[in-house]
Amino acid sequence: MKRKTKKVKSVRNKLFITLCLVVISIIVFLILVNRFVLEKYYQYTKSNNLKLTYAKINSYYTGQLKVDSISDELDKICISNNFDIIVKNADNEAIYMSNKDFLSNIRKIIDFWGIGRKQEYSVIEQDDNVEIRKTIDTETKMTYMFLTGTMDNGYVVYIRLPMASITESVQISNRFLYLIACIVIVVGGIAILYISKQFSSPISEISSIAKKMSNLDFSQKYIVTDDDEINELGESINIMSEKLEKTINQLRKTNIELERDIERKSKIDEMRKSFISD
């Protein structure tokens, strides 16, 4: 029982358990962050992307940023960002639309907002000219991020981004992270076992040398392989072992000489007694 307890409490096992707990804690932390924070962060970045797109469209139509064809630039934005964009002029006429179905859905969406069916949408961000909402299409049951913005020239722009891609990306990321976590636990466990063995072996060797030194056995020496603290300790143990061995050998010689002197004195004393007796 004592040996088992010593093995459990050994430096090697403590180091192995500590490193395993650290690795597992990091993995659990990453999984929790990925599960509860990543989607919000992704939504935040997409919301900023929508606002940047609105600012760019505003600069196109107000002449702040001159391009050869506004429609071509908007087509590029829609393709690269998976956006649906509609621009209406002051007379509420669509002067640009990337998706005809989106045009037919706008009135329905606005009607839902006017009714106040808050279960169908939630406001993400709102200021004087721009409003970003998270809305659900009642027909397709798909979730979108929806930006409504009034430009400086009075035009209105509608930008829609499907949320399904965000949710799907987060789910894929979570599954990938679970897979990576399993691989890291297996590979990390093997690596930690090797590292803990390499780290604790010199300490075990120094402990073995110290035990032999306590039994006045100075035959074993620590082999110095590096310049770290453990090897410095091993070198100090070697120096102490040599000094103790020399001191003990010197004491033994002195003790032998003392015994001889005592024996010689004893013989002289016996001879003196014998002489007096004779």
Side-chain angles (χ1 to χ4, degrees), residues 25-166:
S25 299
I26 293 173
I27 291 173
V28 171
F29 174 75
L30 290 176
I31 290 174
L32 292 175
V33 169
N34 196 64
R35 184 170 183 179
F36 297 106
V37 179
L38 180 60
E39 187 170 356
K40 293 181 180 179
Y41 176 74
Y42 200 18
Q43 179 177 293
Y44 170 77
T45 56
K46 289 299 181 181
S47 177
N48 286 338
N49 196 11
L50 286 172
K51 290 190 293 183
L52 291 173
T53 302
Y54 159 77
K56 186 179 288 186
I57 295 173
N58 184 39
S59 64
Y60 289 157
Y61 281 97
T62 56
Q64 298 174 11
L65 187 62
K66 294 182 179 181
V67 292
D68 295 334
S69 173
I70 296 177
S71 297
D72 291 341
E73 294 298 324
L74 294 182
D75 288 338
K76 292 177 183 178
I77 292 173
C78 292
I79 294 171
S80 61
N81 295 281
N82 194 25
F83 288 164
D84 291 323
I85 299 176
I86 290 178
V87 179
K88 289 187 175 183
N89 59 18
D91 296 328
N92 201 28
E93 297 176 351
I95 59 175
Y96 173 84
M97 57 181 175
S98 61
N99 188 338
K100 292 182 179 180
D101 294 333
F102 182 32
L103 180 61
S104 63
N105 288 336
I106 285 180
R107 186 171 296 278
K108 294 180 182 179
I109 294 170
I110 295 174
D111 288 341
F112 274 124
W113 293 349
I115 294 171
R117 297 178 62 177
K118 291 188 177 180
Q119 67 272 21
E120 304 293 347
Y121 74 89
S122 60
V123 178
I124 297 175
E125 192 172 342
Q126 187 175 18
D127 57 26
D128 295 336
N129 297 324
V130 176
E131 183 180 62
I132 301 175
R133 301 193 184 196
K134 182 179 178 182
T135 184
I136 300 174
D137 191 326
T138 55
E139 294 180 358
T140 61
K141 301 300 180 183
M142 289 187 64
T143 304
Y144 297 94
M145 287 183 70
F146 194 94
L147 179 143
T148 305
T150 303
M151 291 186 280
D152 296 340
N153 59 359
Y155 289 8
V156 179
V157 59
Y158 302 97
I159 307 175
R160 184 178 68 174
L161 170 66
M163 289 285 288
S165 60
I166 298 176

Side-chain angles (χ1 to χ4, degrees), residues 213-236:
M213 287 172 60
S214 65
N215 295 322
L216 302 181
D217 182 1
F218 306 100
S219 58
Q220 186 177 354
K221 303 295 182 182
Y222 181 80
I223 300 174
V224 179
T225 57
D226 206 345
D227 294 332
D228 56 16
E229 290 82 355
I230 294 177
N231 282 273
E232 288 179 2
L233 177 61
E235 188 175 1
S236 299

